[in-house]
Amino acid sequence: MRAFFCVISILSLVVIPVDDARAAMQFTLWPAQFSYGTPSGTFAWNSTMFGFRFDEPLGPFVSLRSDLRYGSLANPSFTATSISGYSGSTWIADSAFRVGLRTGPIGFAAYGGYGGLFFNATGPAPSDNVVLRNLSSRLGVEATVATSRGLTLRGSYTWITSLNANADISMSGPPAVPASWSGTGGGSEYEITLQYSPVPVTTVFAGYRGGSSQISWSGAGTTNSTFQGYLVGVELHF
């Protein structure tokens, strides 16, 4: 019986909050490829996204995480045909409450929040405009595994639920497309990174981020949307 209580005591000592309940700021560079399906056709583009993330501890095991990513439009195409004269931007933003624990080299967290994607592009004609929006609830899990060489493998998976989408397209052509659509759907996202901490308060990392969603448009069928790309970044703890 004494041995049993000793084991319980040891386990209770090593289960601690993820990241020791410290605040953290993360900066990322993410050259991403986007493909957004609409009933009028698929709009695709590239954006080199500059990202900022802030983790604010709310208690020993709970934090509020906020993400903001921005990138300019590059290489746009519509229905697999390049279109010229368009400029615009991509915004991705979300916030989530996060609960996490770590025991020894292994960490685990779960989170839930809300966010979405906002894209706007204008073309060479005054009437040329493409506005794409996705807003959804987000539920996810994250795991970390630290190695003896100072490296940490981190992976996360997010379920996208209650997705609401809008696509407002006015293109003078070719092809000429005036349309406005709304829909609902869901999907998922994932991210995997390899991290290294050269000093206790600084972590550098590289990895891959991607995701997909399916949207059922009102009276106009279902389309798929995707994004993916490699990323690098640095995280500061304080």
Side-chain angles (χ1 to χ4, degrees):
M1 182 63 68
R2 179 179 298 177
F4 173 78
F5 282 112
C6 287
V7 171
I8 295 297
S9 299
I10 292 173
L11 288 176
S12 66
L13 289 175
V14 298
V15 176
I16 60 176
V18 169
D19 295 331
D20 302 324
R22 292 180 295 173
M25 290 190 301
Q26 184 183 105
F27 303 91
T28 58
L29 179 64
W30 177 40
Q33 299 174 331
F34 295 86
S35 175
Y36 194 105
T38 76
S40 300
T42 298
F43 197 87
W45 71 96
N46 295 346
S47 282
T48 298
M49 307 293 290
F50 297 90
F52 171 78
R53 170 182 289 175
F54 185 72
D55 273 295
E56 175 65 28
L58 302 178
F61 302 94
V62 182
S63 66
L64 175 62
R65 170 176 289 180
S66 299
D67 279 280
L68 179 63
R69 298 180 175 92
Y70 166 82
S72 298
L73 168 67
N75 305 320
S77 66
F78 185 70
T79 62
T81 301
S82 297
I83 54 178
S84 60
Y86 278 79
S87 61
S89 60
T90 309
W91 292 84
I92 300 177
D94 63 79
S95 291
F97 288 100
R98 183 168 174 267
V99 179
L101 300 170
R102 188 176 73 242
T103 174
I106 299 175
F108 179 81
Y111 51 88
Y114 194 80
L117 175 146
F118 309 86
F119 173 81
N120 182 77
T122 56
S127 61
D128 290 339
N129 193 43
V130 178
V131 179
L132 308 173
R133 294 179 294 271
N134 279 358
L135 289 171
S136 65
S137 301
R138 303 163 59 81
L139 299 172
V141 292
E142 179 182 282
T144 58
V145 179
T147 71
S148 59
R149 297 181 179 271
L151 297 174
T152 299
L153 182 65
R154 171 177 291 181
S156 64
Y157 188 89
T158 305
W159 290 272
I160 301 171
T161 62
S162 304
L163 185 150
N164 291 290
N166 297 94
D168 299 307
I169 303 173
S170 176
M171 300 174 67
S172 56
V177 181
S180 181
W181 306 95
S182 62
T184 58
S188 62
E189 300 177 3
Y190 65 91
E191 181 176 306
I192 184 167
T193 59
L194 186 62
Q195 306 175 336
Y196 176 69
S197 297
V199 294
V201 297
T202 303
T203 300
V204 294
F205 58 89
Y208 193 83
R209 174 179 171 82
S212 64
S213 60
Q214 298 74 44
I215 303 170
S216 296
W217 301 96
S218 180
T222 300
T223 63
N224 295 321
S225 300
T226 62
F227 66 84
Q228 63 274 321
Y230 292 95
L231 59 87
V232 294
V234 60
E235 184 172 284
L236 307 176
H237 298 266
F238 56 93

